Amino acid sequence: MFPSPIEKASFFGRFAYKLSLPIALFIWLLPLLAIFMTSIRPASDIATGNVFGIPSSFQLLQNYGEVFAKTDAMRYLFNTLLIAIPTTIISVALACMTGYALAIYKFKWALPMFFLFVAGNFVPFQILMLPVVDMSNRLEIINTVPGLVMFHAAFQTGFCTLFMRNFMKALPFELVESARLEGVDEFKIFWHLVLPLVKPAIAALCVLIFTFIWNDFFWATVLLRDDSTLPITVGVRTLNGEFVQQWHLVSAASLLAAIPPVIMFFAMQKHFIAGLTLGATKG
Amino acid sequence: MSTTAALPMDRFATSTGRVVIAAIVFVVCLIMLKLVTTTGMQDLLGYTQKTQARVPTFLVRMVFLLAAIAAAFFFVTGLSYYKRNKVAVAPWLFLSVGLVLFMIYVIVPIFQSISYSFTRWDGLYDFNGVWTGEWVGFHNYKVLFQDPNFYTSLWNNLLWLVLFMLAVPIGLFIALFLNQTVTGIRIYKSLFFFPFVISQVVVGLIFTWAYNPEFGLLSEVWSWFFCETKTNIVGNLTRVCSPEPPSILGDSTYATYGIIAAGLWPQIAYCMILYLTGLNNISSDQIEAGRLDGAKGWKMLRHVILPQLKPATFIAIVVTVIGALRSFDMIATMTQGGPFGSTNVLAYYMYDQAVGEGVGRYGYGSAIATILFLIMLVYISYFLWRMYQDEVEAR
């Protein structure tokens, strides 16, 4: 283990380390803490300059309640779910199939196809923007949630395929081979043998894609205009314009937008990190 | 199945019934796809506006499309040809849906964008659905190379790339700091990772507020050093500072640096988690061997640890480069390219030119996007080349 375990250090060293941990964390999360404190104080505090002191009254429920009452925050949150959940399901399902094709079968095109998915996954969004807008226009799905879902699902299939293919490549190939010798159909091998084995990868991908889509801002601004279809990330920016100088409400709304991915992260931490650190550990 | 015993059938023969039914379903679905139109659904469902009928139309079309795909699968798998060549045909069946969708939405648009960049077009079609643009050759690029805003954006992109790289060593440093086994360290690790989970829009808002010169976090820290509180003539307390706290986002010299600093916050967290996982998998034998040889501290890190962290470093650099070139959300939330276009990067400038208020320069926007794509292509090729090396080695 590197650096040397702190247990071996002197008493003073251990003490200093344990003391420095919370201090470092405090500094690291200071912006977040500060904005949380702002979100629970009354507007008058900010006006009088009491931005960092103890709030003159705790208005956690009032401020957050006001965000819901005064704005469409509830609908924005609901829209985000409407976008994120179908996208996650479609892209992960498609990637299970593409990943299986690219990992299990040894055909000439396997590697070029795999690289196509990987390369497409890394392109800048702007080069896709105008053609996608134009196509959505002509298919009459611009400005609708299904239209955005279609794009997200297609784009995320790239990342999911990268992930799935590498995960499936690590499975013992003899299993598939012996199943084939017994005359099991290819689709049955996929469904009954391989899918149960890649459950951890499916979980990791679901958590990750859900978070990515929840936090998406660019595509929602490009493909959605109607207020009734906007997700929370765009909604929060709109609120920022409405609540000029009402920082206690802006900060409450921002934190609302951040809460679901944070809960997702803490609930599924293991899967989340497994997804993000893909390939960072193997040779 | 019961008939097989009585009548020895060729197990490679085409299952006629299945193929015929699948073919009929497939054709019916295609006809229905053609028949379902927005105006038709409008009449059927009684919507007064065409826009309201769009989502139901789309969903009905999707149902028919899915049914058509399923029918096609049954058709192909019923054929004698498939049964004889299972291992050769099956991968294409598995690939088909994902690949077609990815082609339509990702691969083809890249080439479309490049072709747009040689046109002048505002994104519209005339009444008969005919394209209204015109071909102008390299005109857009000529204009682009004389556009001072383009050079500002390019310079800012370079700044992002260089300064964003700080996330890698800082991430490593924090990972080394946290790589211990004290009680509660797991909670510390996840709390340090926290900023990465938050949407960039929210990070942007948090930092916009933190940079506010009147009541932000930065002005508070500033006031510890440069300000004193005085009682003014009316008897109220006022804060007098010399020099005044800087308005980072309002000043064209500092604004970009301010946004990059905000962007570094989640990126450092990402690099940290990559290195923490990497450190977790380092073989303890080598560390012990290194210790026996008298290596410790910096020497140990340099010669024993870093070589083993190479894969983590590679991924960290890749995601950081991509993050830097994709920077859009933060700029959109914090400055919208301003003040005076000083915080534009290619990604934001392209958006601004193509669909920003009052301008619909699809051709010009596509030219900017193409340049950005070419820059990214360097990194993508490098990444693919590295992956190819790994694949060849693994064989």
Side-chain angles (χ1 to χ4, degrees), chain A residues 164-191:
Chain A
M164 268 298 170
R165 186 265 187 190
N166 283 350
F167 196 92
M168 286 178 175
K169 200 87 188 168
L171 294 177
F173 185 66
E174 300 77 43
L175 278 177
V176 179
E177 205 124 71
S178 57
R180 259 184 208 158
L181 285 179
E182 303 216 345
V184 184
D185 188 68
E186 299 296 320
F187 290 91
K188 284 190 177 139
I189 298 179
F190 171 67
W191 190 258

PDB file of all heavy atoms in Angstrom, chain A residues 164-191:
ATOM      1  N   MET A 164     -19.839  -2.689 -22.332  1.00  0.00           N
ATOM      2  CA  MET A 164     -20.370  -4.049 -22.373  1.00  0.00           C
ATOM      3  C   MET A 164     -19.411  -4.998 -23.087  1.00  0.00           C
ATOM      4  O   MET A 164     -19.176  -6.117 -22.654  1.00  0.00           O
ATOM      5  CB  MET A 164     -21.695  -4.071 -23.138  1.00  0.00           C
ATOM      6  CG  MET A 164     -22.892  -3.908 -22.262  1.00  0.00           C
ATOM      7  SD  MET A 164     -22.989  -5.244 -21.104  1.00  0.00           S
ATOM      8  CE  MET A 164     -24.279  -4.630 -20.069  1.00  0.00           C
ATOM      9  N   ARG A 165     -18.874  -4.519 -24.201  1.00  0.00           N
ATOM     10  CA  ARG A 165     -17.994  -5.375 -24.986  1.00  0.00           C
ATOM     11  C   ARG A 165     -16.778  -5.770 -24.153  1.00  0.00           C
ATOM     12  O   ARG A 165     -16.402  -6.944 -24.118  1.00  0.00           O
ATOM     13  CB  ARG A 165     -17.588  -4.627 -26.261  1.00  0.00           C
ATOM     14  CG  ARG A 165     -16.790  -5.434 -27.239  1.00  0.00           C
ATOM     15  CD  ARG A 165     -15.348  -5.186 -27.020  1.00  0.00           C
ATOM     16  NE  ARG A 165     -14.513  -5.814 -28.042  1.00  0.00           N
ATOM     17  CZ  ARG A 165     -13.212  -5.891 -27.941  1.00  0.00           C
ATOM     18  NH1 ARG A 165     -12.612  -5.397 -26.876  1.00  0.00           N
ATOM     19  NH2 ARG A 165     -12.506  -6.447 -28.890  1.00  0.00           N
ATOM     20  N   ASN A 166     -16.182  -4.793 -23.461  1.00  0.00           N
ATOM     21  CA  ASN A 166     -15.012  -5.109 -22.657  1.00  0.00           C
ATOM     22  C   ASN A 166     -15.359  -6.034 -21.499  1.00  0.00           C
ATOM     23  O   ASN A 166     -14.585  -6.906 -21.138  1.00  0.00           O
ATOM     24  CB  ASN A 166     -14.372  -3.822 -22.114  1.00  0.00           C
ATOM     25  CG  ASN A 166     -13.578  -3.123 -23.178  1.00  0.00           C
ATOM     26  OD1 ASN A 166     -13.356  -3.673 -24.254  1.00  0.00           O
ATOM     27  ND2 ASN A 166     -13.151  -1.904 -22.906  1.00  0.00           N
ATOM     28  N   PHE A 167     -16.538  -5.836 -20.927  1.00  0.00           N
ATOM     29  CA  PHE A 167     -16.948  -6.697 -19.814  1.00  0.00           C
ATOM     30  C   PHE A 167     -17.165  -8.126 -20.294  1.00  0.00           C
ATOM     31  O   PHE A 167     -16.747  -9.083 -19.665  1.00  0.00           O
ATOM     32  CB  PHE A 167     -18.240  -6.144 -19.196  1.00  0.00           C
ATOM     33  CG  PHE A 167     -18.541  -6.706 -17.841  1.00  0.00           C
ATOM     34  CD1 PHE A 167     -18.097  -6.064 -16.701  1.00  0.00           C
ATOM     35  CD2 PHE A 167     -19.272  -7.875 -17.710  1.00  0.00           C
ATOM     36  CE1 PHE A 167     -18.377  -6.573 -15.453  1.00  0.00           C
ATOM     37  CE2 PHE A 167     -19.547  -8.397 -16.463  1.00  0.00           C
ATOM     38  CZ  PHE A 167     -19.100  -7.745 -15.330  1.00  0.00           C
ATOM     39  N   MET A 168     -17.844  -8.262 -21.461  1.00  0.00           N
ATOM     40  CA  MET A 168     -18.150  -9.598 -21.963  1.00  0.00           C
ATOM     41  C   MET A 168     -16.895 -10.309 -22.462  1.00  0.00           C
ATOM     42  O   MET A 168     -16.804 -11.526 -22.424  1.00  0.00           O
ATOM     43  CB  MET A 168     -19.172  -9.511 -23.091  1.00  0.00           C
ATOM     44  CG  MET A 168     -20.572  -9.205 -22.587  1.00  0.00           C
ATOM     45  SD  MET A 168     -21.712  -9.051 -23.961  1.00  0.00           S
ATOM     46  CE  MET A 168     -23.261  -8.840 -23.102  1.00  0.00           C
ATOM     47  N   LYS A 169     -15.925  -9.521 -22.942  1.00  0.00           N
ATOM     48  CA  LYS A 169     -14.680 -10.102 -23.423  1.00  0.00           C
ATOM     49  C   LYS A 169     -13.971 -10.835 -22.288  1.00  0.00           C
ATOM     50  O   LYS A 169     -13.240 -11.793 -22.518  1.00  0.00           O
ATOM     51  CB  LYS A 169     -13.784  -8.981 -23.963  1.00  0.00           C
ATOM     52  CG  LYS A 169     -12.706  -9.450 -24.893  1.00  0.00           C
ATOM     53  CD  LYS A 169     -13.184  -9.527 -26.312  1.00  0.00           C
ATOM     54  CE  LYS A 169     -12.158 -10.173 -27.209  1.00  0.00           C
ATOM     55  NZ  LYS A 169     -12.703 -10.503 -28.526  1.00  0.00           N
ATOM     56  N   ALA A 170     -14.185 -10.365 -21.055  1.00  0.00           N
ATOM     57  CA  ALA A 170     -13.503 -10.960 -19.909  1.00  0.00           C
ATOM     58  C   ALA A 170     -14.193 -12.230 -19.417  1.00  0.00           C
ATOM     59  O   ALA A 170     -13.671 -12.921 -18.542  1.00  0.00           O
ATOM     60  CB  ALA A 170     -13.409  -9.936 -18.786  1.00  0.00           C
ATOM     61  N   LEU A 171     -15.375 -12.543 -19.963  1.00  0.00           N
ATOM     62  CA  LEU A 171     -16.070 -13.760 -19.529  1.00  0.00           C
ATOM     63  C   LEU A 171     -15.343 -14.978 -20.088  1.00  0.00           C
ATOM     64  O   LEU A 171     -14.703 -14.904 -21.127  1.00  0.00           O
ATOM     65  CB  LEU A 171     -17.508 -13.762 -20.066  1.00  0.00           C
ATOM     66  CG  LEU A 171     -18.459 -12.692 -19.540  1.00  0.00           C
ATOM     67  CD1 LEU A 171     -19.803 -12.813 -20.246  1.00  0.00           C
ATOM     68  CD2 LEU A 171     -18.643 -12.824 -18.054  1.00  0.00           C
ATOM     69  N   PRO A 172     -15.449 -16.117 -19.406  1.00  0.00           N
ATOM     70  CA  PRO A 172     -14.817 -17.342 -19.953  1.00  0.00           C
ATOM     71  C   PRO A 172     -15.527 -17.781 -21.227  1.00  0.00           C
ATOM     72  O   PRO A 172     -16.705 -18.115 -21.210  1.00  0.00           O
ATOM     73  CB  PRO A 172     -14.985 -18.361 -18.822  1.00  0.00           C
ATOM     74  CG  PRO A 172     -16.050 -17.822 -17.948  1.00  0.00           C
ATOM     75  CD  PRO A 172     -16.032 -16.346 -18.082  1.00  0.00           C
ATOM     76  N   PHE A 173     -14.792 -17.767 -22.330  1.00  0.00           N
ATOM     77  CA  PHE A 173     -15.380 -18.054 -23.637  1.00  0.00           C
ATOM     78  C   PHE A 173     -15.782 -19.519 -23.773  1.00  0.00           C
ATOM     79  O   PHE A 173     -16.680 -19.868 -24.535  1.00  0.00           O
ATOM     80  CB  PHE A 173     -14.376 -17.673 -24.733  1.00  0.00           C
ATOM     81  CG  PHE A 173     -14.919 -17.802 -26.120  1.00  0.00           C
ATOM     82  CD1 PHE A 173     -15.954 -16.969 -26.542  1.00  0.00           C
ATOM     83  CD2 PHE A 173     -14.426 -18.753 -26.993  1.00  0.00           C
ATOM     84  CE1 PHE A 173     -16.466 -17.092 -27.815  1.00  0.00           C
ATOM     85  CE2 PHE A 173     -14.944 -18.873 -28.271  1.00  0.00           C
ATOM     86  CZ  PHE A 173     -15.963 -18.039 -28.684  1.00  0.00           C
ATOM     87  N   GLU A 174     -15.126 -20.404 -22.973  1.00  0.00           N
ATOM     88  CA  GLU A 174     -15.417 -21.845 -23.071  1.00  0.00           C
ATOM     89  C   GLU A 174     -16.894 -22.128 -22.799  1.00  0.00           C
ATOM     90  O   GLU A 174     -17.475 -23.053 -23.358  1.00  0.00           O
ATOM     91  CB  GLU A 174     -14.571 -22.644 -22.072  1.00  0.00           C
ATOM     92  CG  GLU A 174     -13.069 -22.514 -22.252  1.00  0.00           C
ATOM     93  CD  GLU A 174     -12.519 -21.201 -21.722  1.00  0.00           C
ATOM     94  OE1 GLU A 174     -12.944 -20.800 -20.628  1.00  0.00           O
ATOM     95  OE2 GLU A 174     -11.693 -20.571 -22.415  1.00  0.00           O
ATOM     96  N   LEU A 175     -17.491 -21.335 -21.932  1.00  0.00           N
ATOM     97  CA  LEU A 175     -18.910 -21.523 -21.603  1.00  0.00           C
ATOM     98  C   LEU A 175     -19.753 -21.451 -22.866  1.00  0.00           C
ATOM     99  O   LEU A 175     -20.599 -22.310 -23.135  1.00  0.00           O
ATOM    100  CB  LEU A 175     -19.369 -20.429 -20.631  1.00  0.00           C
ATOM    101  CG  LEU A 175     -19.068 -20.613 -19.161  1.00  0.00           C
ATOM    102  CD1 LEU A 175     -19.530 -19.410 -18.379  1.00  0.00           C
ATOM    103  CD2 LEU A 175     -19.732 -21.869 -18.660  1.00  0.00           C
ATOM    104  N   VAL A 176     -19.528 -20.389 -23.659  1.00  0.00           N
ATOM    105  CA  VAL A 176     -20.294 -20.189 -24.878  1.00  0.00           C
ATOM    106  C   VAL A 176     -20.004 -21.315 -25.855  1.00  0.00           C
ATOM    107  O   VAL A 176     -20.899 -21.879 -26.479  1.00  0.00           O
ATOM    108  CB  VAL A 176     -19.929 -18.829 -25.504  1.00  0.00           C
ATOM    109  CG1 VAL A 176     -20.701 -18.605 -26.785  1.00  0.00           C
ATOM    110  CG2 VAL A 176     -20.182 -17.713 -24.524  1.00  0.00           C
ATOM    111  N   GLU A 177     -18.722 -21.676 -25.947  1.00  0.00           N
ATOM    112  CA  GLU A 177     -18.308 -22.701 -26.890  1.00  0.00           C
ATOM    113  C   GLU A 177     -18.991 -24.041 -26.595  1.00  0.00           C
ATOM    114  O   GLU A 177     -19.522 -24.698 -27.491  1.00  0.00           O
ATOM    115  CB  GLU A 177     -16.789 -22.877 -26.799  1.00  0.00           C
ATOM    116  CG  GLU A 177     -16.190 -23.427 -28.060  1.00  0.00           C
ATOM    117  CD  GLU A 177     -15.116 -22.515 -28.588  1.00  0.00           C
ATOM    118  OE1 GLU A 177     -14.062 -22.461 -27.942  1.00  0.00           O
ATOM    119  OE2 GLU A 177     -15.343 -21.863 -29.611  1.00  0.00           O
ATOM    120  N   SER A 178     -19.024 -24.408 -25.309  1.00  0.00           N
ATOM    121  CA  SER A 178     -19.614 -25.711 -24.973  1.00  0.00           C
ATOM    122  C   SER A 178     -21.127 -25.679 -25.193  1.00  0.00           C
ATOM    123  O   SER A 178     -21.716 -26.673 -25.608  1.00  0.00           O
ATOM    124  CB  SER A 178     -19.281 -26.104 -23.537  1.00  0.00           C
ATOM    125  OG  SER A 178     -19.720 -25.125 -22.659  1.00  0.00           O
ATOM    126  N   ALA A 179     -21.736 -24.521 -24.937  1.00  0.00           N
ATOM    127  CA  ALA A 179     -23.174 -24.408 -25.193  1.00  0.00           C
ATOM    128  C   ALA A 179     -23.457 -24.586 -26.679  1.00  0.00           C
ATOM    129  O   ALA A 179     -24.411 -25.254 -27.072  1.00  0.00           O
ATOM    130  CB  ALA A 179     -23.702 -23.058 -24.714  1.00  0.00           C
ATOM    131  N   ARG A 180     -22.604 -24.008 -27.518  1.00  0.00           N
ATOM    132  CA  ARG A 180     -22.792 -24.125 -28.957  1.00  0.00           C
ATOM    133  C   ARG A 180     -22.683 -25.577 -29.409  1.00  0.00           C
ATOM    134  O   ARG A 180     -23.458 -26.054 -30.218  1.00  0.00           O
ATOM    135  CB  ARG A 180     -21.709 -23.308 -29.670  1.00  0.00           C
ATOM    136  CG  ARG A 180     -22.226 -21.985 -30.136  1.00  0.00           C
ATOM    137  CD  ARG A 180     -21.142 -21.274 -30.916  1.00  0.00           C
ATOM    138  NE  ARG A 180     -21.345 -19.848 -30.796  1.00  0.00           N
ATOM    139  CZ  ARG A 180     -20.401 -18.946 -30.971  1.00  0.00           C
ATOM    140  NH1 ARG A 180     -19.173 -19.316 -31.251  1.00  0.00           N
ATOM    141  NH2 ARG A 180     -20.676 -17.676 -30.856  1.00  0.00           N
ATOM    142  N   LEU A 181     -21.692 -26.301 -28.826  1.00  0.00           N
ATOM    143  CA  LEU A 181     -21.493 -27.701 -29.202  1.00  0.00           C
ATOM    144  C   LEU A 181     -22.732 -28.521 -28.872  1.00  0.00           C
ATOM    145  O   LEU A 181     -23.048 -29.486 -29.545  1.00  0.00           O
ATOM    146  CB  LEU A 181     -20.266 -28.270 -28.479  1.00  0.00           C
ATOM    147  CG  LEU A 181     -18.937 -27.806 -29.052  1.00  0.00           C
ATOM    148  CD1 LEU A 181     -17.786 -28.385 -28.263  1.00  0.00           C
ATOM    149  CD2 LEU A 181     -18.827 -28.215 -30.523  1.00  0.00           C
ATOM    150  N   GLU A 182     -23.432 -28.118 -27.803  1.00  0.00           N
ATOM    151  CA  GLU A 182     -24.642 -28.844 -27.438  1.00  0.00           C
ATOM    152  C   GLU A 182     -25.817 -28.441 -28.312  1.00  0.00           C
ATOM    153  O   GLU A 182     -26.931 -28.890 -28.104  1.00  0.00           O
ATOM    154  CB  GLU A 182     -24.979 -28.588 -25.974  1.00  0.00           C
ATOM    155  CG  GLU A 182     -23.818 -28.968 -25.080  1.00  0.00           C
ATOM    156  CD  GLU A 182     -24.261 -29.553 -23.761  1.00  0.00           C
ATOM    157  OE1 GLU A 182     -25.457 -29.407 -23.433  1.00  0.00           O
ATOM    158  OE2 GLU A 182     -23.421 -30.153 -23.094  1.00  0.00           O
ATOM    159  N   GLY A 183     -25.603 -27.534 -29.246  1.00  0.00           N
ATOM    160  CA  GLY A 183     -26.651 -27.156 -30.184  1.00  0.00           C
ATOM    161  C   GLY A 183     -27.613 -26.105 -29.664  1.00  0.00           C
ATOM    162  O   GLY A 183     -28.711 -25.958 -30.188  1.00  0.00           O
ATOM    163  N   VAL A 184     -27.214 -25.371 -28.622  1.00  0.00           N
ATOM    164  CA  VAL A 184     -28.089 -24.317 -28.107  1.00  0.00           C
ATOM    165  C   VAL A 184     -28.100 -23.156 -29.108  1.00  0.00           C
ATOM    166  O   VAL A 184     -27.051 -22.781 -29.638  1.00  0.00           O
ATOM    167  CB  VAL A 184     -27.602 -23.816 -26.735  1.00  0.00           C
ATOM    168  CG1 VAL A 184     -28.572 -22.798 -26.161  1.00  0.00           C
ATOM    169  CG2 VAL A 184     -27.417 -24.970 -25.793  1.00  0.00           C
ATOM    170  N   ASP A 185     -29.274 -22.612 -29.343  1.00  0.00           N
ATOM    171  CA  ASP A 185     -29.409 -21.507 -30.296  1.00  0.00           C
ATOM    172  C   ASP A 185     -28.663 -20.271 -29.801  1.00  0.00           C
ATOM    173  O   ASP A 185     -28.577 -20.027 -28.596  1.00  0.00           O
ATOM    174  CB  ASP A 185     -30.891 -21.180 -30.489  1.00  0.00           C
ATOM    175  CG  ASP A 185     -31.084 -20.180 -31.610  1.00  0.00           C
ATOM    176  OD1 ASP A 185     -30.839 -20.562 -32.756  1.00  0.00           O
ATOM    177  OD2 ASP A 185     -31.442 -19.018 -31.314  1.00  0.00           O
ATOM    178  N   GLU A 186     -28.160 -19.487 -30.740  1.00  0.00           N
ATOM    179  CA  GLU A 186     -27.373 -18.299 -30.379  1.00  0.00           C
ATOM    180  C   GLU A 186     -28.137 -17.351 -29.475  1.00  0.00           C
ATOM    181  O   GLU A 186     -27.600 -16.764 -28.544  1.00  0.00           O
ATOM    182  CB  GLU A 186     -26.949 -17.547 -31.646  1.00  0.00           C
ATOM    183  CG  GLU A 186     -26.068 -18.364 -32.580  1.00  0.00           C
ATOM    184  CD  GLU A 186     -24.737 -18.726 -31.976  1.00  0.00           C
ATOM    185  OE1 GLU A 186     -24.149 -17.887 -31.294  1.00  0.00           O
ATOM    186  OE2 GLU A 186     -24.297 -19.884 -32.182  1.00  0.00           O
ATOM    187  N   PHE A 187     -29.442 -17.178 -29.760  1.00  0.00           N
ATOM    188  CA  PHE A 187     -30.229 -16.242 -28.956  1.00  0.00           C
ATOM    189  C   PHE A 187     -30.451 -16.770 -27.553  1.00  0.00           C
ATOM    190  O   PHE A 187     -30.542 -16.020 -26.595  1.00  0.00           O
ATOM    191  CB  PHE A 187     -31.565 -15.957 -29.643  1.00  0.00           C
ATOM    192  CG  PHE A 187     -31.402 -15.148 -30.888  1.00  0.00           C
ATOM    193  CD1 PHE A 187     -31.226 -15.763 -32.113  1.00  0.00           C
ATOM    194  CD2 PHE A 187     -31.360 -13.766 -30.816  1.00  0.00           C
ATOM    195  CE1 PHE A 187     -31.037 -15.017 -33.250  1.00  0.00           C
ATOM    196  CE2 PHE A 187     -31.165 -13.016 -31.959  1.00  0.00           C
ATOM    197  CZ  PHE A 187     -31.015 -13.646 -33.184  1.00  0.00           C
ATOM    198  N   LYS A 188     -30.529 -18.111 -27.446  1.00  0.00           N
ATOM    199  CA  LYS A 188     -30.709 -18.696 -26.108  1.00  0.00           C
ATOM    200  C   LYS A 188     -29.421 -18.578 -25.307  1.00  0.00           C
ATOM    201  O   LYS A 188     -29.459 -18.375 -24.096  1.00  0.00           O
ATOM    202  CB  LYS A 188     -31.150 -20.143 -26.229  1.00  0.00           C
ATOM    203  CG  LYS A 188     -32.614 -20.229 -26.617  1.00  0.00           C
ATOM    204  CD  LYS A 188     -33.141 -21.632 -26.507  1.00  0.00           C
ATOM    205  CE  LYS A 188     -34.618 -21.630 -26.831  1.00  0.00           C
ATOM    206  NZ  LYS A 188     -35.017 -22.776 -27.662  1.00  0.00           N
ATOM    207  N   ILE A 189     -28.279 -18.706 -25.985  1.00  0.00           N
ATOM    208  CA  ILE A 189     -26.999 -18.529 -25.277  1.00  0.00           C
ATOM    209  C   ILE A 189     -26.945 -17.115 -24.707  1.00  0.00           C
ATOM    210  O   ILE A 189     -26.594 -16.897 -23.551  1.00  0.00           O
ATOM    211  CB  ILE A 189     -25.797 -18.744 -26.227  1.00  0.00           C
ATOM    212  CG1 ILE A 189     -25.807 -20.163 -26.767  1.00  0.00           C
ATOM    213  CG2 ILE A 189     -24.487 -18.441 -25.520  1.00  0.00           C
ATOM    214  CD1 ILE A 189     -24.688 -20.462 -27.727  1.00  0.00           C
ATOM    215  N   PHE A 190     -27.331 -16.158 -25.556  1.00  0.00           N
ATOM    216  CA  PHE A 190     -27.327 -14.755 -25.128  1.00  0.00           C
ATOM    217  C   PHE A 190     -28.228 -14.561 -23.922  1.00  0.00           C
ATOM    218  O   PHE A 190     -27.826 -13.989 -22.906  1.00  0.00           O
ATOM    219  CB  PHE A 190     -27.797 -13.882 -26.298  1.00  0.00           C
ATOM    220  CG  PHE A 190     -28.055 -12.449 -25.947  1.00  0.00           C
ATOM    221  CD1 PHE A 190     -27.023 -11.617 -25.574  1.00  0.00           C
ATOM    222  CD2 PHE A 190     -29.344 -11.936 -25.998  1.00  0.00           C
ATOM    223  CE1 PHE A 190     -27.256 -10.289 -25.253  1.00  0.00           C
ATOM    224  CE2 PHE A 190     -29.588 -10.609 -25.673  1.00  0.00           C
ATOM    225  CZ  PHE A 190     -28.542  -9.789 -25.308  1.00  0.00           C
ATOM    226  N   TRP A 191     -29.445 -15.054 -24.011  1.00  0.00           N
ATOM    227  CA  TRP A 191     -30.455 -14.757 -23.002  1.00  0.00           C
ATOM    228  C   TRP A 191     -30.229 -15.525 -21.701  1.00  0.00           C
ATOM    229  O   TRP A 191     -30.299 -14.955 -20.618  1.00  0.00           O
ATOM    230  CB  TRP A 191     -31.846 -15.055 -23.580  1.00  0.00           C
ATOM    231  CG  TRP A 191     -32.952 -14.564 -22.709  1.00  0.00           C
ATOM    232  CD1 TRP A 191     -33.713 -15.319 -21.867  1.00  0.00           C
ATOM    233  CD2 TRP A 191     -33.409 -13.218 -22.567  1.00  0.00           C
ATOM    234  NE1 TRP A 191     -34.614 -14.524 -21.225  1.00  0.00           N
ATOM    235  CE2 TRP A 191     -34.456 -13.226 -21.638  1.00  0.00           C
ATOM    236  CE3 TRP A 191     -33.041 -12.006 -23.156  1.00  0.00           C
ATOM    237  CZ2 TRP A 191     -35.134 -12.071 -21.267  1.00  0.00           C
ATOM    238  CZ3 TRP A 191     -33.718 -10.857 -22.782  1.00  0.00           C
ATOM    239  CH2 TRP A 191     -34.750 -10.904 -21.854  1.00  0.00           C
TER     240      TRP A 191
END
